[in-house]
Amino acid sequence: AMRIEILGSGGSITTPRPLCACPLCTEARARGVPYSRSGPSVFVHGPNILIDTPEESKAQIDRAQITRIDAAFYSHWHPDHAAGLRVWETMNADWMTWPPRHACTPIYLPQQVAEDFHHRLGAWEQLMYQQQFGVVQVHVLADGESVTLGDTRIHPFRLAEEYVYAFLLEENGKRVLLAPDELFGWTPPAEVHGVDLAVIPMGLPEHHPFSGERLIPADHPVLKAEATFEQTLEMVRQMNPKRTVMGHIEEPMQLSYDDLLRLEARLRGEGYTITFSYDGLTIDV
């Protein structure tokens, strides 16, 4: 069986934000998880795969007490998903034995992610250095190609924003959609309708979920590049998953863990099976 663990439920701006003294960040510092949120990352127990490595990746893996990672996948090049690439050297390098006995993790890059890594953030150079060192083995997946690890088939596919991928996991008749980010303009295809679990970003709340007050000015360019919470709910209606977990929760949204619990309850009353993620949330499928 697959157990999905949310290692990091935050977005590009995590909670607390460095130096910020707002009530949300102050509460997060004082109370920690689930009020604090680290960068976006998911671990799938069973096939033991890690999806994305934000800056906090080493600490996330340690906190979750993960003892084995059989492979990793990257959804896109953005730094909140890829800036923790050095985790593989830290994790796998053997500095004390000669000749060294490094561990080696297979890294799977969907086609466009591999292309983008060549000229973004020095990511390809970092991976090639680590591959030369012997701590990773990089595999580039052509569009349409899948990977099977144990009983689990992992199928990456592009979203509407062509640089970003989601992953459909299938195991023993169960289907899980992992879409780490960037749902803007996406219409869920038939193959993800009715999945057992959809893990998706919540989107930006254009209006406050309780007061209705406009939070993002109507002419703000972000609305032409990022899916809103309201648009994401429409995607959930189209997909009709058995359960939805919404993450990538940004500090500027100013929605606390308690606010999101309240919103969850309201959405349940409207017929949704939505859980807002937090660091350490686990879901058995």
Side-chain angles (χ1 to χ4, degrees):
M2 287 182 283
R3 168 172 283 187
I4 312 300
E5 182 165 2
I6 307 300
L7 300 186
S9 60
S12 60
I13 301 175
T14 52
T15 309
R17 185 203 291 238
L19 307 183
C20 183
C22 77
L24 186 78
C25 291
T26 301
E27 177 183 51
R29 281 191 201 96
R31 303 183 74 171
V33 171
Y35 293 85
S36 63
R37 300 182 182 279
S38 59
S41 183
V42 175
F43 187 71
V44 185
H45 298 267
N48 297 323
I49 61 173
L50 180 66
I51 298 190
D52 292 339
T53 55
E55 292 98 323
E56 305 92 338
S57 193
K58 286 184 278 191
Q60 291 174 341
I61 291 165
D62 193 51
R63 180 178 63 192
Q65 299 182 37
I66 292 166
T67 58
R68 175 173 173 166
I69 298 175
D70 290 336
F73 293 77
Y74 283 89
S75 63
H76 62 306
W77 68 268
H78 284 173
D80 54 325
H81 293 258
L85 272 171
R86 237 198 99 245
V87 66
W88 308 114
E89 182 184 351
T90 309
M91 182 190 306
N92 289 340
D94 173 11
W95 292 103
M96 300 301 287
T97 310
W98 192 259
R101 292 193 293 266
H102 303 308
C104 183
T105 303
I107 308 290
Y108 292 96
L109 302 180
Q111 180 178 317
Q112 189 63 49
V113 180
E115 290 178 24
D116 291 340
F117 270 23
H118 275 84
H119 57 93
R120 302 280 192 175
L121 310 177
W124 187 259
E125 188 178 1
Q126 286 188 66
L127 281 175
M128 289 303 100
Y129 165 75
Q130 295 189 75
Q131 180 164 282
Q132 184 179 9
F133 203 66
V135 296
V136 300
Q137 180 65 49
V138 177
H139 305 272
V140 178
L141 300 174
D143 285 351
E145 198 173 344
S146 300
V147 177
T148 300
L149 298 172
D151 296 328
T152 308
R153 177 178 177 264
I154 302 106
H155 176 64
F157 62 95
R158 292 189 196 232
L159 296 172
E161 297 278 359
E162 290 206 336
Y163 63 90
V164 64
Y165 289 74
F167 304 90
L168 179 62
L169 277 58
E170 298 176 281
E171 180 185 303
N172 299 325
K174 299 288 188 179
R175 294 183 302 144
V176 174
L177 170 69
L178 300 177
D181 200 3
E182 307 297 350
L183 294 187
F184 182 75
W186 185 55
T187 300
E191 58 260 36
V192 301
H193 288 194
V195 291
D196 295 279
L197 173 67
V199 179
I200 60 177
M202 75 171 285
L204 300 177
E206 189 174 358
H207 301 87
H208 195 282
F210 303 119
S211 71
E213 170 198 359
R214 176 168 279 283
L215 297 177
I216 302 174
D219 58 352
H220 197 299
V222 75
L223 296 176
K224 295 181 172 62
E226 297 282 345
T228 65
F229 174 59
E230 294 82 357
Q231 289 167 341
T232 306
L233 274 183
E234 175 56 32
M235 295 173 202
V236 173
R237 282 192 287 271
Q238 292 170 19
M239 268 194 290
N240 194 27
K242 292 189 174 69
R243 185 171 178 188
T244 303
V245 169
M246 287 187 166
H248 216 280
I249 298 163
E250 305 276 4
E251 187 271 352
M253 295 176 184
Q254 289 293 297
L255 293 171
S256 74
Y257 174 68
D258 294 327
D259 292 331
L260 292 168
L261 286 179
R262 185 178 157 206
L263 181 55
E264 248 177 53
R266 190 183 82 193
L267 291 167
R268 274 199 299 272
E270 296 171 6
Y272 293 99
T273 51
I274 290 175
T275 301
F276 290 99
S277 72
Y278 53 86
D279 289 21
L281 170 66
T282 58
I283 311 102
D284 289 311
V285 181

